[in-house]
Structures are given as structure tokens and as C-alpha cells.
Amino acid sequence: MSDPAHAPTARLPVCLLTGFLGAGKSTLLNFVLRHPEMTGTAVVINEYGAVGVDHHLVESAPDDTELIADGCLCCTASGRLGEALMSLFQRAAQRNVALKRVIIETTGLAEPGPIVSQLLHDPQLSAHFALDSVVTLVDALNAASTLDKHDIAVQQITAADRLLLSKTDLVGAATAAALTQRLRAMNPDAGVDVIRHGAARPEQLFSGGRDHPGSARYQLGDWFGRAESMRFTPVIAVQPSGLLGRSAPARTPAEQEIQTFSLIFEEPLPPGRLLGWISFLRSLCGPTLLRVKGLVHVEGQAGPTVVHGVQSALHPLRELAAWPDADRRSRLVFITRGWGQDVVASTLAYLHTPSRPIS
């Protein structure tokens, strides 16, 4: 597990642990918090009901634990996340205790996007905390029916950097394999691991951070490589001459709404166009834009610009010092629902026609 030395001004890495109702998040916390490498971990536990119960089930929870009850962090209790995190930070400072990291366990009904957005864009929080990863626990026994019936479960999976499968001992090998394939089709960015009885490893929750250059390069290469080589969905290559498409394998009815596709820009993009285009897409697509990630070659820049967005939350655009390999093409991968792919394709001309305003 990445555990850099934390200077007094360094930001604490945060793992957002999510997953639908009954996936086993409390069991996972009970196990992983006992690991010696997790010393110095603070925990925020969010419960939907007015009377908190889950925090009592996490027997190994450290003293630095905050309970947020009677509401979901993504909506009714959103303002209390900042209070809880700053309370942990200030208490540790008063006691001269060195916090090293924070785990936020959401309710099973929480949307990750608004929570990610708050961590990224609240000035006070972003000064002290850095989002390391979104980890989603998936109940292998009930995942198929849950994904068909509950949109929240879809959002939790497509927002994840890592997917952890629980309860695989209660299903057959064929069912577990089919679920793994479905999850990788929905979110080729995320690694998929099986955990038994909550036995997660620290490095599965903290992996160096979304803003760590090495992490960004590795995750993008893995994501884009899978989207192309395994061909879960159409891959779109964008060139000055136009738009080229490749057809995808047929999907089950339950998967029809989720689309994962890649864009390749052969030529560098004009400065100032990228952020405007992404902002326009976010406003145009709304909740249908589940995830976007990639490396973009901007004219005049030596290194690529990292793009990473989850639902309504867009990470600040950041230029890397160097490209990860010899390929200098801009590469973006999208996870959308409904007509998202058609909407994205309809806006591409804007990137190469500076005189054409967005309307």
C-alpha cells in the first residue's frame, strides 16, 4: 500500500467505500482496520436512519470515528461530511495524533458523484484531504437483480476505481465469472477483485491516489486497452477527416442503457477548447454522463492533460510532465447511459472549429 510520509501540510488520502445495501461494507471495515498498515486511519460512517447501528458493528473502528446518521451524504446530510472530516482533523491535531488516511463508508443508497464533487471542490476539504479512490463492494449473490432494479447500484459501480466482489462463496463459478464480465463491461477502468468474508487488503482501498501521475498513467492504459482489445462496446476513432465507428457485441436487455466507448483524436486539440467542450458535455448529458477519463494532447503542451470526471464531479485538469509511452494521440473513455454516445459524437466538431460557438 502506498503510504507516503505526511508533512504537516500534506493532504490526507481518502477512500470512499460504497456499495448497495447488504454488500458487506461493515464486515470489510472490521477486517481491514485490524491490519497493521492501517494504523492512523480515521473513519466516517454514514447511516441512513435516525438511530445509528452500523458503527457499533465495526468493532475494530478506531477512536477517530465519526457517525453521520439520519440522512445520506450525497443529499440530505451532505453538509455534515465537511463537519465530520474537519472534526477528525482538528481532534487529531489537538491530541498530537498523526492521522495517515480516512475511510468514508457511505450508506447503501448513496450516489458517489455528489460526495466526490464535495471532496474535490470544497476549498476547506480540498486543502486538507485528497481523494485516493472510490471502492465499491458488490454482492455477488444479489448483484444481477440489484443492477436491473436500482440505478444507484449502477452509479456506484461506474464511479469506482476498484470493484470488490463479496459473497462469491454463495454462488457458482459460472455466475461469478458472468458477473465479473458484466462489471468489466460497465466499468473497464476498475480492477475487479474477489474478497471472502470481508478480507480486503489495505492496498485495495488505498493505491496512491487519483492525482498520482503513475496511478493515472497505469489506470488509463489499463482502461483504454481493455475498451479496445476486449471490445465490450463501440470504439470511436476521431480524425480530421471524420468519425469512424466499430460495432459492438450484442448486449443483454439489462445492459442496453450503459455504453462504454473510446475516442481517439489523431491531432492535438486547440488550447482553451478542451475545458469548454467537457463543461458543455456535462451540462448537455447531465446524469447520463457517468464517467469520463483520458489523456489529451493539447497544442503547445509537452505532456498530456489528464481528464477525469465522475457524474457531476470533474477533477481539475492537470498536465503531466511526460507521456507514459510513445503514443501521443488524445484518448478518452466514456461511460454513458441512454443516448450518451450519440450526444458526445454530435459535439465533436466543436473541438476542431474554433470559430464555431456552442449553442
Side-chain angles (χ1 to χ4, degrees), residues 16-351:
L16 183 62
L17 177 62
T18 187
F20 201 70
L21 300 169
K25 297 185 293 294
S26 296
T27 301
L28 183 152
L29 276 181
N30 249 328
F31 184 92
V32 78
L33 288 173
R34 292 189 174 98
H35 197 287
E37 289 188 26
M38 296 300 284
T39 301
T41 301
V43 179
V44 176
I45 297 177
N46 181 211
E47 299 189 44
Y48 195 80
V51 179
V53 175
D54 285 356
H55 67 295
H56 294 303
L57 303 179
V58 184
E59 301 167 1
S60 56
D63 293 335
D64 293 303
T65 300
E66 285 282 329
L67 170 67
I68 301 177
D70 197 20
C72 225
L73 286 178
C74 63
C75 48
T76 56
S78 61
R80 296 162 62 189
L81 174 61
E83 296 174 3
L85 288 172
M86 292 310 301
S87 176
L88 288 170
F89 187 84
Q90 292 163 2
R91 286 209 313 265
Q94 291 168 358
R95 293 161 44 211
N96 199 27
V97 173
L99 288 184
K100 296 182 179 179
R101 64 193 69 83
V102 179
I103 298 174
I104 301 173
E105 180 198 353
T106 73
T107 74
L109 299 175
E111 299 177 37
I115 305 173
V116 170
S117 183
Q118 189 173 358
L119 290 169
L120 290 176
H121 302 299
D122 182 287
Q124 187 178 38
L125 294 184
S126 61
H128 298 288
F129 302 93
L131 180 62
D132 182 286
S133 61
V134 176
V135 176
T136 300
L137 199 59
V138 181
D139 176 355
L141 181 62
N142 299 300
S145 60
T146 298
L147 288 172
D148 290 343
K149 298 175 182 177
H150 300 282
D151 185 65
I152 291 293
V154 173
Q155 294 182 42
Q156 291 169 349
I157 286 170
T158 54
D161 299 297
R162 186 180 296 273
L163 299 168
L164 301 179
L165 296 188
S166 64
K167 305 181 185 180
T168 55
D169 55 317
L170 302 180
V171 301
T175 299
L179 175 59
T180 299
Q181 184 176 6
R182 181 178 181 181
L183 295 176
R184 285 177 172 160
M186 292 175 62
N187 184 357
D189 178 33
V192 182
D193 295 334
V194 172
I195 61 168
R196 299 187 182 278
H197 310 293
R201 301 186 304 276
E203 63 269 20
Q204 291 174 314
L205 273 63
F206 293 91
S207 57
R210 289 181 162 193
D211 290 335
H212 186 274
S215 176
R217 294 177 190 178
Y218 170 78
Q219 291 179 11
L220 177 71
D222 190 42
W223 187 6
F224 191 79
R226 274 192 259 171
E228 284 199 309
S229 63
M230 300 187 73
R231 295 188 186 181
F232 292 124
T233 51
V235 176
I236 301 174
V238 180
Q239 300 177 349
S241 58
L243 189 66
L244 304 177
R246 296 206 294 269
S247 60
R251 300 190 215 171
T252 65
E255 296 170 319
Q256 291 294 332
E257 287 194 354
I258 304 299
Q259 298 174 322
T260 305
F261 58 94
S262 299
L263 300 180
I264 305 171
F265 295 92
E266 297 287 345
E267 301 296 331
L269 300 181
R273 289 264 132 183
L274 177 62
L275 184 57
W277 177 63
I278 293 175
S279 298
F280 178 55
L281 280 180
R282 290 168 65 212
S283 63
L284 190 64
C285 295
T288 66
L289 181 58
L290 298 174
R291 191 79 178 268
V292 57
K293 188 174 183 180
L295 295 180
V296 177
H297 189 173
V298 177
E299 291 177 354
Q301 290 186 181
T305 292
V306 178
V307 175
H308 196 170
V310 176
Q311 298 166 6
S312 61
L314 179 66
H315 290 243
L317 298 183
R318 180 173 52 88
E319 181 185 356
L320 297 182
W323 287 83
D325 50 39
D327 191 346
R328 297 294 189 270
R329 299 176 301 168
S330 297
R331 290 156 279 169
L332 291 167
V333 182
F334 288 82
I335 304 175
T336 66
R337 64 169 72 250
W339 298 98
Q341 179 174 323
D342 296 325
V343 172
V344 171
S346 71
T347 67
L348 295 178
Y350 166 76
L351 290 169

